[in-house]
């Protein structure tokens, strides 16, 4: 008399479920902003700490103090103390969402990778 051998079989539905879960995690990894702003001294064109910019007024070529400088997605973020290029002080002309501050103070990453939230692993750098 032989006993039936139990065979373990992977369920196709479990594999599909895991694949769907991973795919939904990855699609949840989207950029949260089209532009990101860093605080800048317009006289020196150097980035300063974000807490130096406390109002929403744009720099129009006059005035003293520090103002937000807007960088588009995929722009390289300058570190604090570095000169800014490729952006604008005029936030009213931007078409999209803007994140003010919160970019790495050391710079070097891109705006999109710095502002990506959520997704697989929940890293602030994401896959963008």
């Amino acid at each position: 008399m032989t006993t039936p051998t139990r065979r373990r079989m992977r369920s196709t539905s479990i594999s599909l479920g895991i694949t769907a879960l991973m795919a939904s995690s990855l699609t949840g990894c989207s950029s949260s902003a089209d532009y990101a702003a860093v605080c800048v001294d317009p006289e020196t064109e150097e980035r300063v700490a974000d807490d130096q910019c406390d109002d929403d007024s744009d720099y129009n070529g006059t005035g003293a103090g520090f103002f937000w400088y807007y960088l588009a997605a995929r722009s390289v973020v300058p570190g604090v103390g570095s000169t800014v290029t490729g952006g604008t002080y005029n936030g009213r002309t931007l078409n999209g969402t803007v994140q003010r501050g919160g970019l790495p103070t050391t710079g070097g990453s891109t705006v999109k990778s710095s502002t990506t939230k959520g997704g697989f692993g929940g890293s602030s750098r994401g896959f963008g």
Side-chain angles (χ1 to χ4, degrees):
M1 185 169 183
T2 62
T3 58
T5 305
R6 292 186 141 195
R7 293 179 48 190
R8 289 189 160 186
M9 298 181 68
R10 283 190 175 175
S11 170
T12 304
S13 63
I14 291 175
S15 296
L16 289 174
I18 290 171
T19 302
L21 178 65
M22 299 240 347
S24 68
S25 296
L26 292 175
T27 58
C29 180
S30 62
S31 176
S32 60
D34 299 309
Y35 300 91
V38 293
C39 190
V40 170
D41 179 352
E43 289 186 20
T44 62
E45 298 284 316
E46 289 183 359
R47 182 179 175 195
V48 297
D50 291 341
D51 60 358
Q52 300 295 319
C53 287
D54 57 356
D55 67 13
D56 295 340
S57 61
D58 286 340
Y59 179 69
N60 58 10
T62 61
F66 305 104
F67 295 89
W68 292 109
Y69 186 83
Y70 302 95
L71 298 165
R74 302 202 191 285
S75 297
V76 176
V77 177
V80 171
S82 299
T83 304
V84 294
T85 58
T88 181
Y89 286 102
N90 191 352
R92 283 180 250 142
T93 61
L94 304 178
N95 187 15
T97 57
V98 176
Q99 172 190 338
R100 290 183 186 228
L103 296 174
T105 57
T106 55
S109 62
T110 61
V111 168
K112 184 176 180 181
S113 65
S114 299
T115 59
T116 300
K117 303 286 183 200
F120 188 71
S123 168
S124 62
R125 293 190 53 93
F127 295 102

